[in-house]
Every structure is written in C-alpha cells, then in structure tokens.
Amino acid sequence: MKVGAVIITMGNRPDELRALLDSVAKQDGDPVQVVVVGNGSPVPDVPDGVRTIELPENLGIPGGRNVGIEAFGPSGRDVDILLFLDDDGLLASHDTAELCRQAFEHDPKLGIVSFRIADPDTGITQRRHVPRLRASDPMRSSRVTTFLGGANAVRTQVLAEVGGLPDAFFYAHEETDLAWRALDAGWMIDYRSDMVLYHPTTAPSRHAVYHRMVARNRVWLARRNLPALLIPVYLGVWLLLTLVRRPSRPALKAWFGGFREGWTTPCGPRRPMKWRTVWRLTRLGRPPVI
C-alpha cells in the first residue's frame, strides 16, 4: 500500500520539523511521500523530495490538512494511506509506516488508526491522548470512537467516501466530526499503543482561542452529526462537565461566548448519524452523549 504524509506548519519550529521529516524518511519499506503545508507562513528548508505548499493565509488545522490531502489527488487517491503528523512530533520507530500497511491490509474495514503520543523525555502518555473513556492504561490497544489529530493514519478510501475534515472548525473537534462520519459509513477506528509519536507534553489551553473554539465546535459537532433527540443531551452533559472543572472566569466567559456562537452561526451540512451507529458507539464504550 502506498503511504503519504501530510504535515502542516506555521514555520516557527524548523528544527523540530526537520527532525520529524528525518524520522519519516527512515521508515521501513517503500518511501513515504511527504507534503508540508505552510499554513499562512513560509515553509522552512526541507530535504529534497519533500513537496511544499505555502498558503497565503492560515486556514486552521482542518483547512491546512485538507489542502495537504488534495496534494495527493482528489481525496488523496494517489496513495492508499495518509499519515497526519504534528510538525513538532517525531516518529519513535522505523516500522510505524509498515505497521500501518499491515493493519489496513489485515482489516479491510479499518478506516483510521490513532497513534499513541508519548513525551520524548519521560515516555508518559497524557490521559487526554488516549481516545477512549477508560484511559488509565495507555498501553492497551483497542477499538475507539475518535482519534488524535496530529498522530494518525487514514485510509484514503474513507476520505473519498465521507469527505475530509470540516474546514470551518479551524481548531478543535474536527477529528471527532470525521470519526463519526466514518463510523456511520461502516468504517472502524483503532487506537494502537505500538505506533508512537513523540511529542512534548503540552496543555491544549495554551492556544488563545481554545475555550471559544472548543465550545463553538462542540455545538457544531452535535448539530451536524447527532440525531435531534441526542443534541440537548450531549450538549447538556458537556455544559455540566465544563462547570464541574471550574475554569477561570475569563475562560468560562470565552466558553459561553463560543457556545452561543455555535447555535447562532452556520455549522455546515447536517447529516445525522443512524441509530445503529449510536448503538455501535455505545458498544465501543462511548455513547455519543459523553
């Protein structure tokens, strides 16, 4: 199976980007074709053979990745698998691409693989980086209902069938939107602890737009994908969880502003998932109200 990789960058981590590209070049098997997208910024120097695209403006994470997908032909059809990697990450082993090939070849219904993210110094995987509710054991691989945006592999047939990431989300929850659409189309998602991307430990709230985007996109996610009966349940649960976590006053103000924005702005096409998909998500351990 042909493997490609999409990396988006703001151009501000040239050393980390070069290290990532070196780790991709060292992968076993046929070479991985790489596209680096400068998301509103110039692309730093890259090795020969790496394609680059420089966008005149920042399209956000999903928009930048969608441009990278199309660089491999419509819906990425020139390759069979696309890796999506954060530009400050590093593939820990030389066999990750080969493990992806084996996983997709072995299971024809496998659509997406989520890698394990580990801190390069401590080896610790943050709980939030295990895409399931029972996250206490990050070394346990399993079927899951979503995936990690900057450390994953997607079968391009999935993108051709259900579409790419939602551009308008800009940042936050775009992976879950794609995951729900893929699951509704009959594809499966695996979390694989043996496929590792080293990435420095960070807090998602480091992004200035975090609280607003998380709230707005949570509403959009529900409006786009959930049966009407589940929308108030899902959003009510997340409202309660947000209050229980006791964010700061400015953070809570930004969150409620985003929540309101999610209801008053267009969310894109609505394609509610089938009830059998709701049951599938429930059997996989995460009903779409949590």
Side-chain angles (χ1 to χ4, degrees), residues 53-219:
I53 301 171
E54 294 184 352
L55 302 176
E57 62 178 311
N58 183 354
L59 299 182
I61 294 173
R65 287 184 176 141
N66 283 339
V67 169
I69 292 169
E70 296 302 307
F72 290 95
S75 301
R77 67 183 181 190
D78 294 344
V79 293
D80 303 294
I81 302 165
L82 276 176
L83 311 180
F84 295 90
L85 307 171
D86 277 350
D87 68 341
D88 56 344
L90 183 74
L91 290 175
S93 302
H94 295 178
D95 63 351
T96 303
E98 192 60 30
L99 288 173
C100 286
R101 292 186 185 97
Q102 293 172 8
F104 286 113
E105 287 172 349
H106 176 73
D107 184 352
K109 294 308 294 180
L110 179 62
I112 303 171
V113 173
S114 189
F115 301 167
R116 180 168 66 87
I117 294 179
D119 185 272
D121 297 321
T122 65
I124 293 174
T125 296
Q126 292 179 274
R127 186 181 182 91
R128 70 184 182 90
H129 284 152
V130 182
R132 59 176 179 246
L133 292 180
R134 296 179 179 178
S136 59
D137 182 8
M139 301 308 294
R140 179 173 67 88
S141 300
S142 69
R143 295 282 201 200
V144 289
T145 61
T146 188
F147 63 98
L148 306 175
N152 67 80
V154 179
R155 191 191 296 266
T156 54
Q157 187 179 346
V158 173
L159 301 172
E161 186 172 339
V162 306
L165 297 158
D167 287 347
F169 278 42
F170 197 84
Y171 165 78
H173 303 319
E174 67 272 7
E175 303 92 354
T176 301
D177 187 89
L178 176 57
W180 282 0
R181 284 182 281 126
L183 289 163
D184 197 47
W187 297 100
M188 301 301 293
I189 306 170
D190 279 356
Y191 166 73
R192 289 283 297 264
S193 64
D194 57 336
M195 301 181 188
V196 180
L197 184 85
Y198 286 145
H199 188 282
T201 298
T202 57
S205 55
R206 70 190 186 278
H207 298 290
V209 298
Y210 172 76
H211 296 287
R212 181 175 71 86
M213 292 291 191
V214 162
R216 183 197 69 180
N217 292 358
R218 184 79 71 183
V219 178

